[in-house]
Amino acid sequence: MTPLLHVNNLSVRYATARGELHAVSAVNLALDAGQTLGLVGESGCGKSSLGKALVRLVKPSAGEIRVRGVDLASLRGRALKASRFEVQMVFQDPSSALDPRMNIAEAIAEPLRARGELNAAERQARVAELMQQVGLHAELASRLPHQLSGGQRQRVVIARALAPKPALIVCDEPVSALDVSLQAQILNLLCDLQAQLGVAYLFISHDLSVVQYVADRIAVMYLGEVVEVGDRALFWQRPAHPYSQALIAAVPVMDPAHSRAASKTVLGGDVPSPYQPPAGCRFHTRCPQAHPRCQAEAPRLRALQPGHQVACHLYDATLGAPA
Ligand code: SF4
């Protein structure tokens, strides 16, 4: 089956006064319709740049972004505008994502107006349907964003994203600006909407426990590269890459008797500069298991077992064909 989303050798580089910043480097990913791929990694690892490239808020430097077989990275003009309805984005901070002068009904109707397929009465009915789907009472329609709570504002942003009936929503840290009780509500809402509507999510977060809650598969990024991808249970129980092991070890465990086997791996040192990523494996400057080959040769992402890929020389004896 062809995946809904197929990212092929995608790179994003930014020209800055300091030089060229390597935000995303030759990333390959796939996501099926109606599924959630969690994308994790430390701050600055390229997660958000990858998400923005998928919705074409930033222009890829190289590679393909295929959605239902159409390469969004190569589109221009009208075709690019139309593709934006197919892939939507939910940002971390709902306040900055909403126009403070637009009431809630207008904010949700805006993408419908841009699409131009519905008349005014149809738009009004669709806005009412979307508000109901995201759990917003109809009486909030005339309120301005500042008159809503943070959780309500994020529901408005989700309704806007759903309005053009996208196949994929990029959720970039969608709950990290909310307090813990609201986080659970928004995560449950996203899961319920996916079950109802069949929308796929690329769910970006620095918080592995949040991703663990929503994702079917998890991809780990380090310094612009994907270093491991696995089905949720496989990844959580048997993380293969030393960086993934360190991330999982850093997640607080309530019961020390059930501390994870991977907790031996502790992450030290600073993330190297994305302006001059290290040669070989980019993780070698921090990896407790690095060996001389790691400095000279970059490992490729390859299948460790069905549903699990890793980029690490430690598994050369067991790795299968290139992914
Ligand atoms: Fe560590 Fe080498 Fe594997 Fe990179 S390739 S993660 S440096 S062991």
Side-chain angles (χ1 to χ4, degrees):
M1 191 178 75
T2 308
L4 168 73
L5 169 71
H6 197 175
V7 173
N8 189 18
N9 275 322
L10 187 74
S11 294
V12 177
R13 293 181 180 187
Y14 301 115
T16 74
R18 284 181 58 191
E20 194 171 51
L21 189 152
H22 300 239
V24 178
S25 299
V27 161
N28 295 296
L29 284 175
L31 172 58
D32 289 333
Q35 296 275 298
T36 298
L37 176 66
L39 189 60
V40 298
E42 291 164 291
S43 175
C45 71
K47 308 183 296 292
S48 291
S49 290
L50 175 57
K52 285 177 183 162
L54 297 193
V55 292
R56 289 294 308 269
L57 281 177
V58 299
K59 193 170 181 301
S61 312
E64 295 179 330
I65 303 164
R66 293 202 171 271
V67 175
R68 297 194 180 142
V70 176
D71 179 17
L72 306 191
S74 65
L75 297 181
R76 305 278 180 279
R78 263 199 204 161
L80 174 59
K81 193 176 166 200
S83 79
R84 293 216 158 104
F85 300 120
E86 191 86 308
V87 185
Q88 290 282 303
M89 189 151 187
V90 170
F91 294 94
Q92 175 179 359
D93 179 6
S95 301
S96 59
L98 296 171
D99 184 333
R101 297 158 303 179
M102 247 184 213
N103 72 30
I104 299 319
E106 290 166 342
I108 297 173
E110 194 183 31
L112 299 171
R113 257 197 305 275
R115 187 153 201 176
E117 290 175 351
L118 303 180
N119 63 32
E122 290 167 336
R123 274 202 304 274
Q124 199 177 2
R126 177 88 178 112
V127 168
E129 180 190 34
L130 285 159
M131 288 186 67
Q132 194 256 332
Q133 280 177 336
V134 300
L136 287 170
H137 198 280
E139 72 182 18
L140 298 175
S142 58
R143 303 261 177 95
L144 291 169
H146 78 269
Q147 296 172 307
L148 303 187
S149 69
Q152 287 171 327
R153 281 195 290 270
Q154 195 58 301
R155 287 172 192 266
V156 175
V157 171
I158 292 168
R160 266 174 68 93
L162 288 171
K165 301 189 176 174
L168 168 65
I169 298 179
V170 176
C171 302
D172 189 1
E173 304 273 7
V175 296
S176 53
L178 305 175
D179 68 40
V180 173
S181 63
L182 287 175
Q183 284 187 7
Q185 288 178 24
I186 296 296
L187 293 177
N188 287 334
L189 173 66
L190 288 168
C191 292
D192 291 347
L193 290 168
Q194 184 172 62
Q196 272 176 49
L197 307 171
V199 63
Y201 299 131
L202 179 75
F203 194 100
I204 297 170
S205 179
H206 69 283
D207 186 338
L208 206 50
S209 51
V210 166
V211 167
Q212 169 72 1
Y213 187 72
V214 295
D216 299 291
R217 290 170 61 71
I218 295 175
V220 180
M221 278 188 85
Y222 183 78
L223 210 55
E225 296 181 333
V226 170
V227 297
E228 183 164 5
V229 187
D231 294 343
R232 173 176 53 181
L234 267 178
F235 173 80
W236 195 254
Q237 288 159 13
R238 290 199 296 279
H241 196 281
Y243 179 59
S244 309
Q245 291 168 1
L247 288 182
I248 290 181
V251 176
V253 180
M254 297 304 285
D255 180 358
H258 291 87
S259 65
R260 300 176 188 96
S263 63
K264 292 191 284 282
T265 310
V266 177
L267 196 55
D270 294 326
V271 181
S273 167
Y275 287 95
Q276 282 184 311
C281 174
R282 292 187 178 183
F283 188 55
H284 82 255
T285 57
R286 302 170 80 195
C287 180
Q289 299 179 68
H291 49 96
R293 183 182 170 200
C294 305
Q295 299 181 30
E297 188 182 333
R300 285 177 300 157
L301 192 68
R302 295 191 294 172
L304 187 57
Q305 59 188 301
H308 197 176
Q309 299 158 359
V310 65
C312 175
H313 293 313
L314 290 176
Y315 302 93
D316 279 359
T318 47
L319 283 168

